[in-house]
């Protein structure tokens, strides 16, 4: 054990045996089981928020509910950070500061808005775990921050909270934790080291058309639509052929806009592209390949203007810290037994890791299951049919979040 490394497990944990010391495991389990609150009120909270979903940036009622509950638990509460962001702080003596994050918003889906990503469940589990840890405050020492982030679906909320001075109100954490309900079987927990979610970049490309030289006839112009369609149809294969089929990279097209009805002159075509990658060098290469390809196509088509490229980072790579994750995995393994399952890497993205605010804060992000069944087609997150079973999902999520905190702070 490297005593200089604050994140080294207190017990020896090897890759082949994730089990922590059995006495310590039994103690953590006993704290979680003895202090876990009656979850009925969190079921009610879940139902209440589920029935009144609010989209990114407009989460005022959800934020107010969360803030009220944190106040009743005795947390120091700050609101309206980066929009509707809420943090609750529980000062509980010396030790590590651990920030746990959940999301307030719901994506715009059929209804036209529903909690199709399960953020209602993520919030309910963080409130339940906050209650558990407050009740168990004699058993651990440190500072707990419960953070409820707005605008995750548009991946703007984490940075907005940082830009709005989050860390002037809240101590910079030693560890950042987050969990998300997914389509694993309800009651299952999954964590892993290394990359867990992709990096995502947006490129808004504008292809400008224009008149042929000396032509005054609007019908005789270089139409940007066929050129834009050609670029859309080739973009993914082109990048894969050059980067290699084994590398994890996708170039999706999210839409297409060109022209105005009634006007036969099409000035430009806009193509929003979404590039998802895992490795930094592949990301750089993919972005360069796309830009070069579009420039070559434009020259071949002979349109008068260079295309415009508007780049923005939607989300950085979410990459779990090896040491903090190994310790959390060991705690999960011992508590959940066979319900602690391997975590799969997914091509979803998150702004969770931006909550480090550029500070060197290790982070671990894991999944918990919500599917009532393993049979047939299970609706995924963002499907209009996504519907976690309230139990045992809620109990497992509350226990997992509390365990992860206790693994670093139990005294
Ligand atoms: Zn989500």
């Amino acid at each position: 054990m490297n005593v200089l490394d604050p994140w080294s497990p207190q017990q020896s944990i090897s890759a082949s045996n994730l089990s922590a010391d059995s006495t310590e495991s039994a103690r953590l389990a006993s704290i979680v089981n003895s202090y876990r609150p009656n979850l009925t009120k969190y079921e009610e909270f879940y139902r209440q928020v589920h029935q009144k979903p609010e989209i990114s940036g407009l989460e005022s009622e959800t934020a107010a509910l969360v803030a009220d509950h944190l106040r009743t638990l005795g947390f120091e509460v700050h609101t309206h950070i980066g929009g509707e962001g809420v943090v609750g702080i529980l000062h509980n003596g010396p030790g590590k500061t651990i920030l746990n994050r959940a999301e307030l918003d719901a994506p715009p889906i059929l209804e036209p808005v529903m909690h199709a990503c399960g953020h209602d469940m993520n919030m309910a589990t963080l409130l339940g775990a906050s209650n558990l840890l407050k009740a168990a405050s004699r058993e651990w020492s440190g500072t707990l921050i419960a953070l409820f982030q707005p605008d995750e679906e548009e991946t703007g909320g984490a940075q907005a909270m940082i830009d709005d001075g989050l860390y002037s109100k809240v101590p910079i954490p030693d560890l950042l934790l987050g969990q998300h309900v997914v389509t694993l079987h309800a009651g299952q927990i999954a964590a892993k080291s290394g990359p867990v979610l992709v990096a995502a970049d947006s490129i808004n490309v504008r292809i400008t058309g224009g008149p042929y030289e000396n032509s005054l006839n609007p019908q005789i112009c270089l139409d940007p639509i066929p050129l834009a369609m050609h670029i859309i149809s080739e973009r993914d294969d082109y990048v894969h052929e050059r980067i290699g089929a084994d590398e994890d990279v996708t170039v999706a097209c999210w839409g297409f806009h060109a022209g105005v009805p009634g006007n036969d002159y099409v000035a430009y075509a806009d193509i929003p592209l979404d590039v998802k990658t895992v490795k930094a060098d592949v990301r750089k290469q993919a972005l360069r390949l796309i830009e070069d390809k579009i420039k070559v196509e434009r020259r071949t088509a002979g349109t008068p203007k260079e295309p415009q490229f508007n780049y923005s980072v939607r989300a950085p790579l979410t990459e779990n810290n090896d040491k903090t994750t190994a310790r959390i995995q060991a705690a999960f393994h011992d508590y959940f037994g066979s319900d602690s399952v391997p975590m799969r890497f997914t091509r979803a993205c998150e702004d969770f890791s931006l909550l480090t605010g550029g500070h060197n804060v290790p982070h671990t992000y894991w999944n918990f299951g919500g599917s009532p069944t393993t049979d047939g087609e299970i609706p995924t997150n963002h499907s209009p049919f996504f519907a976690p079973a309230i139990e045992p999902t809620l109990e497992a999520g509350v226990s997992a979040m509390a365990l992860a905190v206790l693994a670093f702070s139990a005294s």
Side-chain angles (χ1 to χ4, degrees):
M1 183 175 107
N2 177 0
V3 291
L4 294 174
D5 185 341
W7 299 113
S8 279
Q10 282 158 351
Q11 302 82 34
S12 67
I13 297 163
S14 70
S16 57
N17 175 16
L18 282 173
S19 227
D21 172 79
S22 58
T23 323
E24 180 63 11
S25 300
R27 193 170 116 66
L28 295 189
S30 131
I31 297 173
V32 168
N33 293 337
S34 327
Y35 291 96
R36 187 171 44 240
N38 181 331
L39 294 175
T40 311
K41 76 171 126 181
Y42 297 100
E43 287 183 21
E44 281 162 17
F45 168 86
Y46 171 81
R47 286 199 176 87
Q48 195 176 353
V49 172
H50 190 79
Q51 283 162 10
K52 194 107 199 284
E54 295 176 299
I55 58 168
S56 308
L58 298 172
E59 311 93 336
S60 56
E61 287 185 35
T62 311
L65 270 178
V66 163
D68 278 352
H69 190 70
L70 289 169
R71 280 187 202 103
T72 58
L73 290 178
F75 281 52
E76 173 192 322
V77 176
H78 300 263
T79 59
H80 298 101
I81 307 175
E84 297 294 347
V86 175
V87 286
I89 311 173
L90 177 60
H91 300 281
N92 191 34
K96 292 194 167 59
T97 296
I98 302 182
L99 192 160
N100 293 353
R101 174 269 210 166
E103 318 86 329
L104 293 164
D105 58 337
I109 311 273
L110 276 182
E111 292 189 4
V113 47
M114 68 172 279
H115 268 295
C117 199
H119 294 177
D120 42 4
M121 184 58 77
N122 298 350
M123 282 185 263
T125 56
L126 179 49
L127 287 177
S130 299
N131 186 329
L132 191 160
L133 290 162
K134 167 73 181 175
S137 53
R138 274 178 303 151
E139 313 281 355
W140 63 279
S141 180
T143 300
L144 174 69
I145 303 169
L147 181 146
F148 293 82
Q149 181 198 310
D151 189 15
E152 186 283 323
E153 293 296 345
E154 308 276 329
T155 57
Q159 193 59 49
M161 290 189 80
I162 297 291
D163 293 345
D164 201 17
L166 173 67
Y167 292 127
S168 62
K169 300 176 173 83
V170 167
I172 295 167
D174 298 302
L175 174 62
L176 173 60
L177 302 177
Q179 67 174 358
H180 204 302
V181 65
V182 295
T183 55
L184 290 169
H185 198 222
Q188 289 185 325
I189 301 290
K192 88 184 220 9
S193 293
V196 287
L197 298 167
V198 292
D201 290 86
S202 288
I203 321 174
N204 284 307
V205 185
R206 174 163 289 184
I207 309 288
T208 305
Y212 281 116
E213 230 174 304
N214 302 324
S215 168
L216 296 176
N217 187 340
Q219 282 86 21
I220 306 173
C221 66
L222 284 160
D223 187 346
I225 292 177
L227 172 56
M229 309 244 324
H230 178 66
I231 290 165
I232 290 170
S233 67
E234 294 213 337
R235 89 257 166 216
D236 202 37
D237 287 348
Y238 178 84
V239 170
H240 268 117
E241 276 164 23
R242 275 145 195 86
I243 287 183
D246 293 342
E247 292 295 351
D248 212 314
V249 52
T250 54
V251 184
C253 177
W254 277 10
F256 182 77
H257 173 77
V260 180
N263 186 353
D264 49 13
Y265 183 91
V266 181
Y268 55 82
D270 285 333
I271 321 170
L273 298 177
D274 179 62
V275 183
K276 287 182 169 167
T277 50
V278 179
K279 294 182 191 162
D281 57 334
V282 170
R283 171 177 176 262
K284 234 168 129 181
Q285 200 187 348
L287 296 176
R288 187 178 47 73
L289 278 168
I290 293 160
E291 181 164 333
D292 289 351
K293 163 79 171 162
I294 293 172
K295 283 179 174 170
V296 167
E297 295 290 350
R298 195 286 300 179
R299 256 174 250 133
T300 310
T303 57
K305 269 179 107 175
E306 282 289 347
Q308 288 167 262
F309 298 90
N310 193 349
Y311 289 89
S312 55
V313 177
R314 279 182 64 219
L317 184 72
T318 306
E319 188 166 15
N320 280 345
N321 177 278
D322 288 346
K323 291 188 174 119
T324 56
T325 306
R327 195 147 156 188
I328 288 168
Q329 270 184 294
F332 287 172
H333 180 83
D334 289 342
Y335 186 85
F336 292 100
S338 59
D339 277 333
S340 169
V341 298
M343 183 177 184
R344 280 185 313 202
F345 174 80
T346 57
R347 286 199 179 84
C349 66
E350 258 277 358
D351 61 358
F352 164 74
S353 65
L354 292 177
L355 285 172
T356 58
H359 302 284
N360 187 19
V361 181
H363 45 274
T364 299
Y365 177 93
W366 67 89
N367 291 148
F368 63 115
S371 290
T373 171
T374 48
D375 299 332
E377 248 179 54
I378 299 168
T380 62
N381 299 66
H382 283 224
S383 154
F385 306 106
F386 181 74
I390 297 181
E391 287 297 1
T393 310
L394 185 57
E395 184 178 318
V398 167
S399 306
M401 191 53 108
L403 264 179
V405 171
L406 290 167
F408 299 95
S409 60
S411 44

